[in-house]
Amino acid sequence: MFLLRSAQRFQIRRQYSSKMRLKSKSNELSSMDIRNIFLDYFTQEHNHKFIRSSPVVPFCDPTVPFVNAGMNQFKNIFLGNAAPPCGSAVNSQKCIRVGGKHNDLNVIGTDGYHHTFFEMLGNWSFGDYFKEKACVTAWDLLTNFYQINPNRLYVTYFGGDTKLGLPPDLECKEIWRSIGVPLDRILPFGANENFWEMGASGPCGTCTEIHYDHLPNIEPNQRARFVNGGLPDLTELWNIVFIEYNRTSDGTIETLKDKFIDTGMGFERLVAVLQGKSSNYDSDLFLPIFDAISKESGKAPYSGTFDVNDSNYQLDYTYRLVADHVRMSSVCIADGIYPQLKYQL
Ligand code: SER
């Protein structure tokens, strides 16, 4: 069993708790603090190597239109075609989900938690550890370091799939139970939700997800059935994938030589949670962009409505759409992807 020694846990928790308290006296944690705490946790407390985000251009990988997950740059390691740079790594990967298997373009602006461009906070094991340490560290970071109330969290695990020929991941369920998550917060789901694949082919595996409930004080028996139900106030926060398989181009699943951990936490979602916002657009990642749009356009300020019947909806929706696309286009241009003009203007 992987367990942090209790003295070590206490010391780390105290160090981060005082950091969190100091920040909250003056104001909330900034998005930069939040990213740094994630990277520090894995580099300093768990000896992971920091690896920079790759550009969003999928060099040498025709299977995806853009880099759409943290694992893209590690694909060849998982497939056994490249040697891992270390036993475990951590990063914040720039991702774009437009086109291909993971395409969120059509919902942008209509909800507060999907984006064409987002950052994915990830920790990686290239042989150092597998399911248990991945779950223990994720829970420890969220509940002890970021101090998220565990009563706001649900976890899911792979419930089995006959087509894939895979049984339920009861080992994963047992890990969550041994960490102390109550059974009514540990929920099984099928392949749609808990078998992760980057594209039509490539490395893949069963996964376990941590979901956050933005509504406080609600009993699990009232809310558990809404997990993965598309509610804007009960959303996935962190996906932990147990990479063990490869989907070949003819659709078959083959077992990889080694096992890996690939985790991805939605940075914008985490920032919203820790800044006490129910929408990512109300966090410090978007508000300065809205201010700039309002100043330049002379339009009324962003008012944060998602109610289509509200008279502010159309303007707020447009704010979200423009801010989302400005972030995405800026990152693309910085990484060398330019808009293609059909006609020279
Ligand atoms: N690859 C998984 C995802 O993108 C976890 O990082 O959700």
Side-chain angles (χ1 to χ4, degrees):
M1 287 274 273
F2 165 84
L3 284 174
L4 281 169
R5 285 192 312 271
S6 59
Q8 189 193 356
R9 285 174 70 87
F10 178 72
Q11 195 192 350
I12 298 167
R13 211 182 303 166
R14 205 175 45 184
Q15 177 193 332
Y16 278 84
S17 301
S18 56
K19 211 184 235 181
M20 302 281 281
R21 266 200 307 276
L22 274 179
K23 288 283 170 196
S24 60
K25 262 188 201 158
S26 48
N27 50 26
E28 65 212 357
L29 283 177
S30 70
S31 47
M32 198 187 292
D33 294 328
I34 292 167
R35 187 192 294 106
N36 286 340
I37 290 173
F38 183 89
L39 299 173
D40 285 352
Y41 177 78
F42 284 102
T43 53
Q44 293 174 18
E45 318 301 345
H46 294 284
N47 205 25
H48 285 48
K49 180 181 160 71
F50 171 71
I51 293 188
R52 284 189 60 180
S53 170
S54 72
V56 291
V57 191
F59 293 115
C60 312
D61 188 353
T63 66
V64 283
F66 294 97
V67 164
N68 64 356
M71 67 164 286
N72 296 46
Q73 66 168 313
F74 303 122
K75 191 172 161 183
N76 275 326
I77 298 173
F78 297 155
L79 293 174
N81 300 331
C86 51
S88 43
V90 63
N91 69 352
S92 180
Q93 174 65 46
K94 297 175 279 184
C95 298
I96 292 183
R97 290 200 171 170
V98 174
K101 182 175 163 62
H102 301 278
N103 184 359
D104 293 328
L105 187 59
N106 290 340
V107 296
I108 304 305
T110 64
D111 69 32
Y113 61 105
H114 284 100
H115 306 291
T116 53
F117 163 77
F118 63 97
E119 275 181 69
M120 190 178 278
L121 301 171
N123 57 294
W124 307 88
S125 167
F126 306 121
D128 269 4
Y129 58 89
F130 200 47
K131 294 184 185 182
E132 187 177 16
K133 181 166 173 178
C135 296
V136 170
T137 48
W139 193 258
D140 184 44
L141 177 58
L142 292 183
T143 61
N144 294 323
F145 286 72
Y146 288 129
Q147 299 180 352
I148 295 176
N149 181 350
N151 292 335
R152 295 286 194 96
L153 301 175
Y154 291 86
V155 297
T156 67
Y157 67 96
F158 180 67
D161 184 88
T162 41
K163 217 164 129 209
L164 287 167
L166 295 175
D169 189 354
L170 299 181
E171 181 192 355
C172 178
K173 179 183 179 184
E174 176 53 27
I175 289 169
W176 287 121
R177 204 194 55 74
S178 69
I179 288 171
V181 182
L183 276 175
D184 51 8
R185 291 183 177 273
I186 309 175
L187 313 168
F189 283 91
N192 269 351
E193 294 84 8
N194 283 75
F195 190 85
W196 200 84
E197 307 189 54
M198 184 186 113
S201 62
C204 50
T206 61
C207 60
T208 180
E209 294 180 341
I210 303 177
H211 292 243
Y212 180 82
D213 193 347
H214 285 271
L215 299 184
N217 306 324
I218 301 190
E219 288 299 312
N221 58 10
Q222 289 172 26
R223 291 286 277 182
R225 65 201 159 97
F226 295 117
V227 170
N228 279 323
L231 288 192
D233 49 21
L234 181 44
T235 52
E236 177 198 337
L237 189 59
W238 201 339
N239 186 15
I240 297 163
V241 187
F242 311 126
I243 301 274
E244 291 181 77
Y245 308 105
N246 178 38
R247 170 94 65 185
T248 58
S249 48
D250 68 5
T252 30
I253 294 274
E254 56 188 29
T255 303
L256 293 170
K257 204 159 74 31
D258 296 308
K259 295 178 180 187
F260 305 91
I261 288 294
D262 149 19
T263 90
M265 172 150 58
F267 175 57
E268 291 75 3
R269 293 183 188 186
L270 178 68
V271 171
V273 166
L274 295 177
Q275 294 184 352
K277 314 291 185 196
S278 55
S279 157
N280 300 357
Y281 291 100
D282 292 332
S283 73
D284 70 350
L285 292 167
F286 286 91
L287 293 180
I289 306 177
F290 292 152
D291 285 347
I293 297 172
S294 174
K295 201 168 138 216
E296 293 303 320
S297 66
K299 295 284 180 195
Y302 177 72
S303 72
T305 185
F306 286 92
D307 177 358
V308 289
N309 298 316
D310 191 303
S311 57
N312 287 337
Y313 177 80
Q314 200 54 41
L315 181 61
D316 283 347
Y317 166 76
T318 312
Y319 264 112
R320 289 189 287 269
L321 210 55
V322 172
D324 173 276
H325 287 24
V326 159
R327 276 170 31 113
M328 190 260 284
S329 319
S330 309
V331 168
C332 282
I333 292 167
D335 282 348
I337 302 177
Y338 300 103
Q340 209 170 38
L341 297 180
K342 189 168 176 194
Y343 301 103
Q344 201 59 44
L345 300 178

